[in-house]
């Protein structure tokens, strides 16, 4: 098929995506079914929904869900324009059959059937499957080669023989099909125990084409799969913060939420905690979310003499809302006075508590400017902070 013919074919073709999410996932060992577990800031199933919705070639998206999950599904897909969900059956095969029946009146030419527990659906794998369908395949299966040696074991756990892995692959989803042929095969072979939809068409004697799968297209089965998938969806962000406050008369300075007695205080609209101010700006900077002055302007009397722990807690809340986490705070306090070494452990614990991270994720150092500049003249304190975050990739 030449490019002009392919473009015309695409323009005349209707494609539906069917997300199968009616299972209970007992191996996941959670009260909440795995398809609704939070992953990089949103439920697992929502990642798949968004991937299909983002593909301009896909006209309809529908999910097959368990009747008990209606509220979880509604929350997970809030704002996504989809067809009403279909309630699944006792087996995956029955659930797909019900989904196909719901789509039948729309008469799609092709359907992509996808596991709701596979959140990383790349546009490339969708394009490969759809491209093969447009080129005449009745069924398309994304596959990955098997690198490991395969062994068969007996009921006692002992190896009985080595399995030849030549021409053996791992099957993934989305699997693509000529809609009518898959619909007819499900009607004919209903009630049989077939593990996926490609197996249904195998039963019907149809040839199944293969395309390259995606190693990141992980199916979440157990808790460790969720963690592994989360790492693939996250990116590292680094932000820097810097703050300065001058000394005035007083009886102590607040640094990192800790009051250190001395014969001076730091002057500022709030409590002038240079450490927490710089840490707040470092996190907001890594999030590309303005700075402390944007969110807590010094012209606002509500923040007069405010405790700066609320500023850092606010930045951490913003990070949590993005589905991210604080990896590390590297803090350098620049001053001649006070001496921080007697207070270092207390400051570290205080900052870690405010940031809601283990103490091991907070480093605090002190240095001087060898008598140079305003800090060297003991006129004030400066602080610089580098924040390392993990946030969902955008």
């Amino acid at each position: 098929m030449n490019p002009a013919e392919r473009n015309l074919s695409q323009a005349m073709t209707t494609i539906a995506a069917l997300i199968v999410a009616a299972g209970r996932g007992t191996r996941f060992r959670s009260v909440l079914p795995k398809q609704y577990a939070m992953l990089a800031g949103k439920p697992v199933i929502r990642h798949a929904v968004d991937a299909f919705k983002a593909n301009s070639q896909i006209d309809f998206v529908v999910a097959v869900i368990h009747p008990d999950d209606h509220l979880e599904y509604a929350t997970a897909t809030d704002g996504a324009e989809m067809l009403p969900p279909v309630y699944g059956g006792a087996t995956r095969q029955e659930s797909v059959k019900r989904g196909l029946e719901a789509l039948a009146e729309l008469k799609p030419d092709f359907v992509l059937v996808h596991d709701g527990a596979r959140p990383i659906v790349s546009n490339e794998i969708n394009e490969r499957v759809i491209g093969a369908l447009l080129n005449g395949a009745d069924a398309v299966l994304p596959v990955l080669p098997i690198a490991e040696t395969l062994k068969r074991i007996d009921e006692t756990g002992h190896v009985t023989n080595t399995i030849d892995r030549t021409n053996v692959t791992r099957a993934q989803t989305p699997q693509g099909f000529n809609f009518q042929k898959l619909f007819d095969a499900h009607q004919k072979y209903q009630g049989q125990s077939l593990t996926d939809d490609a197996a249904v068409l195998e039963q019907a004697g149809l040839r199944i084409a293969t395309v390259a799968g995606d190693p990141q297209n992980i199916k979440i089965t157990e808790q460790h799969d969720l963690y592994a998938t989360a790492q693939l969806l996250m990116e590292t962000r680094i932000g820097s913060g810097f703050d300065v406050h001058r000394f005035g008369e007083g009886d102590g300075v607040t640094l990192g939420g800790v009051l250190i007695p001395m014969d001076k205080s730091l002057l500022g609209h709030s409590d002038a905690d240079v450490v927490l101010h710089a840490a707040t700006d470092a996190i907001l900077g890594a999030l590309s979310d303005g700075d402390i002055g944007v969110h807590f302007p010094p012209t606002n009397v509500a923040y007069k003499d405010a405790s700066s722990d609320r500023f850092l807690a606010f930045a951490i809340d913003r990070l949590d809302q993005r589905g991210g986490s604080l990896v590390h705070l590297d803090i350098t306090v620049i001053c001649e006075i006070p001496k921080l070494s007697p207070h270092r452990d207390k400051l570290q614990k205080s900052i870690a508590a405010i940031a809601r991270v283990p103490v091991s994720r907070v480093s605090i150092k002190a240095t001087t400017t060898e008598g140079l500049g305003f800090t060297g003249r003991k006129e004030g304190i400066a602080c610089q902070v580098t924040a390392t975050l993990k946030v969902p990739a955008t």
Side-chain angles (χ1 to χ4, degrees):
M1 184 181 294
N2 64 45
E5 291 173 328
R6 183 177 292 107
N7 290 338
L8 179 61
S9 176
Q10 291 178 205
M12 300 172 60
T13 298
T14 303
I15 302 174
L18 178 62
I19 301 175
V20 188
R24 297 292 81 193
T26 54
R27 284 179 288 176
F28 189 65
R29 299 185 183 279
S30 172
V31 174
L32 194 67
K34 59 189 179 184
Q35 55 267 38
Y36 303 109
M38 293 302 294
L39 173 66
K42 56 186 178 182
V44 167
I45 190 174
R46 184 59 184 258
H47 289 275
V49 168
D50 289 346
F52 288 121
K53 293 293 294 179
N55 190 302
S56 61
Q57 296 189 80
I58 297 174
D59 302 281
F60 311 110
V61 181
V62 64
V64 183
I65 67 172
H66 194 282
D68 294 344
D69 297 341
H70 187 79
L71 291 179
E72 288 82 0
Y73 173 80
T75 300
T77 58
D78 183 42
E81 295 182 6
M82 300 173 62
L83 297 175
V86 178
Y87 290 144
T91 65
R92 185 186 189 282
Q93 189 175 348
E94 176 61 25
S95 293
V96 174
K97 175 176 172 290
R98 292 184 184 185
L100 295 173
E101 289 170 346
L103 286 168
E105 62 184 42
L106 299 173
K107 301 186 185 324
D109 297 285
F110 302 121
V111 60
L112 307 185
V113 183
H114 184 66
D115 295 326
R118 289 186 189 267
I120 303 182
V121 192
S122 68
N123 188 58
E124 290 75 16
I125 197 170
N126 279 335
E127 291 298 316
R128 288 195 289 269
V129 171
I130 292 171
L133 291 171
L134 292 173
N135 278 315
D138 289 326
V140 185
L141 178 68
V143 296
L144 288 175
I146 295 175
E148 297 86 357
T149 298
L150 300 178
K151 301 286 186 179
R152 179 173 283 110
I153 60 175
D154 61 21
E155 62 277 3
T156 68
H158 292 82
V159 173
T160 59
N161 65 292
T162 299
I163 300 172
D164 183 3
R165 67 185 183 204
T166 305
N167 296 329
V168 176
T169 63
R170 291 184 287 154
Q172 295 186 318
T173 68
Q175 298 175 6
F177 302 95
N178 173 294
F179 178 83
Q180 192 61 51
K181 290 184 178 180
L182 182 63
F183 180 89
D184 292 344
H186 266 281
Q187 298 296 322
K188 182 175 181 180
Y189 298 107
Q190 60 182 303
Q192 296 189 19
S193 182
L194 301 172
T195 57
D196 67 3
D197 299 282
V200 177
L201 285 193
E202 288 174 41
Q203 191 79 352
L206 295 178
R207 288 173 60 82
I208 300 168
T210 62
V211 295
D214 183 349
Q216 295 189 349
N217 185 15
I218 298 171
K219 183 177 181 181
I220 295 174
T221 303
E222 300 180 0
Q223 287 285 339
H224 65 81
D225 299 320
L226 187 68
Y227 175 80
T229 304
Q231 303 314 300
L232 296 172
L233 291 171
M234 305 297 273
E235 65 183 14
T236 300
R237 295 278 194 96
I238 297 175
S240 63
F242 183 80
D243 195 40
V244 173
H245 283 281
R246 70 176 67 216
F247 286 130
E249 293 183 359
D251 56 4
V253 297
T254 300
L255 297 176
V258 175
L259 180 62
I260 300 175
M262 61 181 294
D263 61 356
K264 298 178 184 297
S265 290
L266 290 172
L267 302 179
H269 184 65
S270 63
D271 62 3
D273 189 328
V274 290
V275 173
L276 295 188
H277 291 184
T280 300
D281 267 351
I283 293 170
L284 292 175
L287 291 173
S288 300
D289 194 11
D291 59 29
I292 195 170
V294 169
H295 298 285
F296 304 98
T299 54
N300 191 330
V301 296
Y303 307 125
K304 177 65 175 172
D305 300 323
S307 176
S308 295
D309 59 350
R310 68 188 291 186
F311 304 152
L312 181 55
F314 170 84
I316 294 297
D317 287 341
R318 303 285 277 197
L319 177 58
D320 287 345
Q321 290 162 13
R322 287 274 298 274
S325 62
L326 176 61
V327 177
H328 189 251
L329 284 176
D330 185 23
I331 301 166
T332 302
V333 182
I334 308 164
C335 63
E336 295 288 339
I337 56 172
K339 296 300 182 185
L340 291 190
S341 54
H343 310 284
R344 189 191 311 273
D345 290 347
K346 191 171 183 181
L347 265 65
Q348 188 180 28
K349 290 176 182 177
S350 172
I351 296 163
I354 298 167
R356 305 194 290 272
V357 294
V359 172
S360 59
R361 296 195 179 190
V362 177
S363 169
I364 183 161
K365 309 181 296 293
T367 190
T368 71
T369 55
E370 299 294 334
L372 301 174
F374 78 94
T375 59
R377 295 190 297 270
K378 302 179 182 179
E379 295 173 358
I381 299 177
C383 182
Q384 61 184 25
V385 176
T386 300
T388 303
L389 316 179
K390 283 285 190 180
V391 297
T394 55

